[in-house]
Each structure stands twice: as structure tokens, then as C-alpha cells.
Amino acid sequence: MGCGWNESRGGERAYYEHCATNTNVWIQVKRWPRSDYHRCVGPGRTNLDLDATGAWYDSTYRGGLCSHPGDTGP
């Protein structure tokens, strides 16, 4: 288990591990064949879509920080 993007393995869904303990951040989720999107995540593990192929912290999207984990954007 590492910080950031973690691929699906052994039937487990891909997830993003946000290792900071005091912030919520915007990540960009890459999917195929559907389009990419942004998602607000809090500390800890956030399971991603079944078709997720990558995810990373996006400091340029709305300043990088967010208030409500689960919120999404384009």
C-alpha cells in the first residue's frame, strides 16, 4: 500500500491513498473508455471506478484543496 495511485489486484478495486492526515485534495482520475474527471478525496483510501486506469493529485484544479470528499468535477 503506497501513497497515491494503487492498481487493482487480486479482485480488489484500484484506489487512491491520500497519506496526509489534515487535508482534502482534488485528484484527477483517468478512465478508459469513459472520460477522465476530478474527485475530492480525504485522508486514507478512496476506492475508484472499475474502469480507472490512473489517478494523481492535481494542484492546478481549483487550487488543489477541496472541502467535501466525494465531490466531482470535469
Side-chain angles (χ1 to χ4, degrees):
M1 172 174 82
C3 298
W5 163 255
N6 289 269
E7 291 183 340
S8 59
R9 282 184 275 224
E12 183 178 274
R13 289 173 69 167
Y15 62 93
Y16 186 87
E17 185 76 29
H18 180 42
C19 291
T21 59
N22 59 349
T23 59
N24 300 323
V25 297
W26 285 107
I27 62 170
Q28 183 168 355
V29 180
K30 185 169 182 65
R31 301 184 296 184
W32 192 88
R34 295 185 295 161
S35 60
D36 303 347
Y37 72 103
H38 286 86
R39 181 174 184 171
C40 178
V41 298
R45 179 186 284 204
T46 299
N47 288 325
L48 300 173
D49 307 276
L50 293 173
D51 59 352
T53 59
W56 57 90
Y57 168 62
D58 191 345
S59 63
T60 62
Y61 186 75
R62 298 184 181 175
L65 300 178
C66 54
S67 298
H68 303 100
D71 284 355
T72 60

